[in-house]
Amino acid sequence: MVNDIRLVDGWANGARLCASPHFNQRPDNEVSLLVIHNISLPAGQFGLPYIDQLFQGCLDIDADSSFCDLVGLTVSAHFLIRRDGEVVQYVSCDDRAWHAGVSSYQGREGCNDFAIGIELEGTDDLAYSDAQYQQLQQLTLALFEAYPMLNTDSIVGHCDIAPGRKTDPGESFDWQRYKRGLRP
């Protein structure tokens, strides 16, 4: 696990680098929103290589029948926090990862332009691990330090910026527990 996470030029020390080609420059170099997601590939299965493959654009579509819907999908996130607490980084936080899709926050469309996306390995209805909460809190505090526009009021779930289309991080995510760990 990464302790005392720090960001340098958009990269988190100690995170496993798994570079994604699915990113581009932020139009205004603004980072003012943090979006919490969840992901598992196949659904409900953990610890497999398929999330890395998806974000790198090399998913083995034949590995599972559920992957047929993912053919040609170009998505990424800045980070993934696995069940065991491993932090993986795909895109520099200074760049725009492609995680939010069609989205809106406080009347602003296209949240990828100004958001950092953190995926938690999980599902909407399965409790997240202690290690995930600990690493998410550490990572969030490092992001607050590196990007002064971020604060506890600028953290949302994917469900909040894409209502009706997305449900993550789901009812299993304990927002109070997470935010308690962000207090000084």
Side-chain angles (χ1 to χ4, degrees):
M1 281 202 271
V2 181
N3 292 316
D4 298 322
I5 298 172
R6 296 189 196 293
L7 275 85
V8 177
D9 298 326
W11 297 98
N13 67 302
R16 179 170 60 87
L17 176 61
C18 189
S20 172
H22 303 148
F23 74 95
N24 53 9
Q25 288 188 308
R26 293 185 187 277
D28 299 317
N29 294 321
E30 176 187 333
V31 175
S32 59
L33 186 66
L34 181 57
V35 181
I36 309 298
H37 303 263
N38 75 31
I39 189 170
S40 58
L41 289 176
Q45 295 185 36
F46 309 123
L48 301 172
Y50 305 120
I51 298 169
D52 288 350
Q53 290 177 11
L54 175 67
F55 291 162
Q56 290 184 303
C58 60
L59 179 63
D60 179 3
I61 299 300
D62 297 325
D64 190 89
S65 61
S66 67
F67 294 170
C68 66
D69 296 334
L70 304 176
V71 173
L73 189 63
T74 53
V75 296
S76 61
H78 293 93
F79 297 98
L80 167 69
I81 303 176
R82 292 205 172 265
R83 307 288 298 172
D84 64 2
E86 179 190 28
V87 178
V88 183
Q89 187 167 5
Y90 301 95
V91 174
S92 166
C93 295
D94 293 342
D95 289 319
R96 174 173 49 191
W98 303 341
H99 59 95
V102 177
S103 54
S104 175
Y105 178 71
Q106 296 182 342
R108 292 180 68 188
E109 302 292 320
C111 293
N112 286 337
D113 291 352
F114 53 93
I116 290 175
I118 301 176
E119 297 276 358
L120 298 175
E121 186 176 39
T123 67
D124 285 5
D125 54 5
L126 181 67
Y128 295 95
S129 72
D130 291 340
Q132 285 179 297
Y133 282 107
Q134 291 167 0
Q135 292 295 74
L136 179 59
Q137 290 161 339
Q138 289 289 319
L139 179 56
T140 301
L141 292 171
L143 291 167
F144 285 0
E145 185 175 321
Y147 300 97
M149 293 179 75
L150 291 177
N151 58 59
T152 55
D153 294 328
S154 60
I155 303 171
V156 297
H158 199 186
C159 57
D160 299 312
I161 61 169
R165 187 174 71 82
K166 294 294 181 176
T167 58
D168 54 317
E171 70 251 13
S172 62
F173 186 72
D174 187 340
W175 284 100
Q176 289 182 337
R177 176 182 181 179
Y178 166 46
K179 289 193 174 185
R180 267 194 315 272
L182 303 179
R183 294 185 188 136

